Amino acid sequence: MRKTHEKLINENSTRLDGRKSNQLRPIKIEVGTLSNADGSAYIEQGKNKILAAVYGPKELHPKHRALPDRALLICRYHMAPFSVQERKSPAPSRREIEISKVIREALEPSVFVEYYPRTSIDIFIEVLQADGGTRCSGITVASLALADAGIPMHDLVSACAAGKVDGQLVLDLNDIEDKEGEADLPLALMPNLNAITLIQMDGDLSINEFEQTLNLAKEGCKQIHALQKDALKAKYAAVKEVVEEK
Amino acid sequence: MRENDRKSGQFVVPGERLGVIEEFIPGTGTYTKDGVIHSQITGRTLLDMLNKKVSIYPLIHGVSVPKIGSIVAGQVSNVQSKSATLRISQIGNKFLSGNFTGILHISDASLDYVDIMYDVCKPGDIMRAKVISTMNRTHHLSTSERNLGVICSFCSHCGHMLTLQERGLRCPKCGKIEKRKFASDYGKG
């Protein structure tokens, strides 16, 4: 099975894409990209390109699925056929259905679902280009789309992975590091409340390593949270100034 | 937020810490958790130092669901002798991405007595109504005000749009005169 690359981290402790072990990929976030959705956002995290759209709250069909005391969050994570090296079938795969579920459960604690009983809030996450860590980028961008839709939230959700590659603990794994590395730990965090909404792990870590990786991922989430805030500010603080000038 | 840079007009995103309940009364757009006041929405802070109240002025006017008293508009989807259903697509000034369903009962349809619902509206008409109750998981509507009722309707004979004339609604194509409970600004919107 191993190994297409001799080393994922070279002797200067630099990773294949030139990052240090505790460095995120370059991130670009835009809020309100789509005009037809109630809320939308777009993220570029390294080679990841992900678009998210939010509709609602709106009446749910079929009506029997509606919850009497809160809104139903419906989440669709989907990878475009051209998002990976080999064409991916556009039909939702087992993996995408599972990721849709975990993203929904990662976002649900952040939304005031009890404000909108018997409605649905639809979240669409479209991966245009994938390079590892798309579920984390997807959560980050979907949370911004929810904020852009004006839906009341407890906190923004920021997500980031950390893991172990070539015996070293690293932040924000890309595709090769995820596949060839020893462990991967995606984490979603509500930074202001210090509450974890998603934690998954594959691979092996000792208890000590796990704690270090968790802290590393938490730091990454906090950095991403600052970028999320800037993205919202870039859109809405600017809008306010235009209004004031008139 | 640190103590010294607390002032009104600061940009906040959901979840941001605004203070503790010992210093402020939480106002609109905020929530409290474990004694700490957080922002709920994206907006700017409004600190009322006189009443010690913190609230958020929203910068995003996104969410709208029908509430009691809100003016809604939509298309009539079904009419029975005593009630009609409205597919609500606009609340206030905001167009929705989805639909809500509302029910208009004949007793709330008009200021005057109406015999049958077909004299109030017909399927396909565009109506403006007010939400009067959200009992039993349905939005109950009323059009018994001068500015409420049908704002656009179609001839039941030929399908052409009806125009308002002295005698009531008339089809300019086939001359049919129809009965509706139309709003005071019919055909202007």
Side-chain angles (χ1 to χ4, degrees):
Chain A
M1 179 193 146
R2 290 198 116 193
K3 209 174 200 190
T4 42
H5 292 270
E6 274 302 291
K7 268 189 165 176
L8 294 165
I9 300 178
N10 71 13
E11 46 287 346
N12 304 326
S13 67
T14 313
R15 287 146 78 179
L16 283 178
D17 50 6
R19 286 186 287 155
K20 294 284 171 203
S21 65
N22 62 348
Q23 201 179 354
L24 288 170
R25 286 175 277 186
I27 297 177
K28 198 187 107 190
I29 308 179
E30 196 181 297
V31 176
T33 326
L34 306 171
S35 55
N36 290 338
D38 289 331
S40 58
Y42 172 70
I43 190 171
E44 281 180 17
Q45 183 169 5
K47 287 181 192 156
N48 281 337
K49 292 182 179 172
I50 304 175
L51 196 56
V54 166
Y55 290 87
K58 56 182 187 160
E59 201 169 71
L60 182 63
H61 288 284
K63 267 190 164 170
H64 68 82
R65 283 181 68 199
L67 305 169
D69 57 341
R70 61 199 169 96
L72 183 73
L73 234 58
I74 297 174
C75 185
R76 188 182 107 121
Y77 165 96
H78 182 248
M79 288 175 89
F82 48 80
S83 64
V84 278
Q85 289 259 306
E86 208 150 309
R87 181 185 180 274
K88 189 210 146 285
S89 160
S93 62
R94 191 204 64 84
R95 175 181 169 274
E96 283 168 293
I97 294 166
E98 181 186 318
I99 292 180
S100 300
K101 175 189 171 287
V102 299
I103 292 179
R104 186 186 76 231
E105 288 172 359
L107 293 171
E108 201 159 58
S110 79
V111 181
F112 279 89
V113 279
E114 63 274 22
Y115 284 12
Y116 307 105
R118 297 185 297 278
T119 61
S120 75
I121 298 170
D122 297 5
I123 303 163
F124 297 92
I125 297 166
E126 196 67 27
V127 180
L128 305 177
Q129 187 171 289
D131 185 37
T134 51
R135 80 188 64 193
C136 291
S137 307
I139 291 169
T140 305
V141 73
S143 180
L144 278 174
L146 283 167
D148 183 44
I151 294 166
M153 293 199 289
H154 289 94
D155 198 353
L156 291 172
V157 185
S158 317
C160 186
K164 190 177 166 193
V165 174
D166 280 356
Q168 277 197 50
L169 301 182
V170 293
L171 181 65
D172 195 12
L173 286 80
N174 63 22
D175 197 35
I176 291 175
E177 290 172 333
D178 187 8
K179 287 197 175 106
E180 309 284 334
E182 285 106 291
D184 172 34
L185 186 134
L187 177 82
L189 185 73
M190 295 199 279
N192 283 303
L193 308 174
N194 201 22
I196 291 170
T197 62
L198 166 87
I199 186 163
Q200 292 183 307
M201 186 171 95
D202 70 14
D204 298 312
L205 287 174
S206 69
I207 292 174
N208 206 356
E209 282 172 333
F210 173 78
E211 254 170 53
Q212 284 177 32
T213 315
L214 186 64
N215 287 330
L216 193 62
K218 269 189 183 178
E219 283 310 309
C221 289
K222 281 173 189 164
Q223 285 177 42
I224 288 174
H225 181 253
L227 295 167
Q228 284 180 305
K229 205 183 145 181
D230 288 346
L232 277 173
K233 198 171 183 172
K235 186 176 181 207
Y236 287 104
V239 170
K240 186 68 196 299
E241 274 147 31
V242 172
V243 173
E244 276 165 0
E245 277 167 25
K246 276 180 187 171
Chain B
M1 242 193 277
R2 231 167 265 119
E3 193 82 37
N4 50 7
D5 52 41
R6 277 220 191 97
K7 55 176 188 279
S8 276
Q10 256 182 345
F11 182 82
V12 288
V13 297
E16 217 147 325
R17 214 184 129 107
L18 302 168
V20 290
I21 47 171
E22 282 84 356
E23 21 174 21
F24 291 114
I25 300 164
T28 54
T30 68
Y31 73 97
T32 49
K33 191 176 172 33
D34 302 330
V36 180
I37 308 172
H38 294 273
S39 164
Q40 218 173 49
I41 47 170
T42 311
R44 284 180 188 278
T45 53
L46 283 175
L47 294 182
D48 185 350
M49 285 304 180
L50 215 65
N51 301 315
K52 290 280 170 203
K53 193 172 179 182
V54 59
S55 42
I56 305 293
Y57 172 79
L59 287 175
I60 306 174
H61 302 277
V63 179
S64 41
V65 287
K67 293 190 187 74
I68 292 175
S70 49
I71 303 290
V72 298
Q75 192 173 34
V76 177
S77 59
N78 184 30
V79 183
Q80 287 168 336
S81 59
K82 296 293 173 204
S83 75
T85 40
L86 191 69
R87 242 186 355 245
I88 298 166
S89 55
Q90 187 186 9
I91 300 169
N93 294 322
K94 186 162 192 286
F95 289 93
L96 301 170
S97 56
N99 281 318
F100 285 98
T101 315
I103 289 178
L104 176 64
H105 189 255
I106 194 158
S107 58
D108 301 312
S110 178
L111 290 162
D112 315 320
Y113 173 78
V114 271
D115 203 35
I116 194 158
M117 210 58 194
Y118 303 110
D119 290 344
V120 173
C121 59
K122 286 201 166 69
D125 292 358
I126 311 295
M127 258 188 141
R128 189 191 297 126
K130 190 197 235 171
V131 181
I132 53 169
S133 158
T134 51
M135 284 278 278
N136 299 328
R137 304 173 179 195
T138 39
H139 304 292
H140 295 274
L141 306 172
S142 164
T143 53
S144 59
E145 270 173 51
R146 256 181 60 77
N147 64 333
L148 301 178
V150 176
I151 47 176
C152 179
S153 58
F154 302 95
C155 176
S156 56
H157 185 67
C158 68
H160 201 273
M161 204 193 281
L162 301 175
T163 52
L164 185 60
Q165 288 169 356
E166 310 90 76
R167 284 181 294 170
L169 296 174
R170 186 175 174 274
C171 175
K173 201 170 172 188
C174 67
K176 194 168 187 283
I177 290 171
E178 297 221 3
K179 259 188 166 174
R180 293 285 197 282
K181 195 294 174 190
F182 50 84
S184 51
D185 62 341
Y186 178 91
K188 284 168 195 153

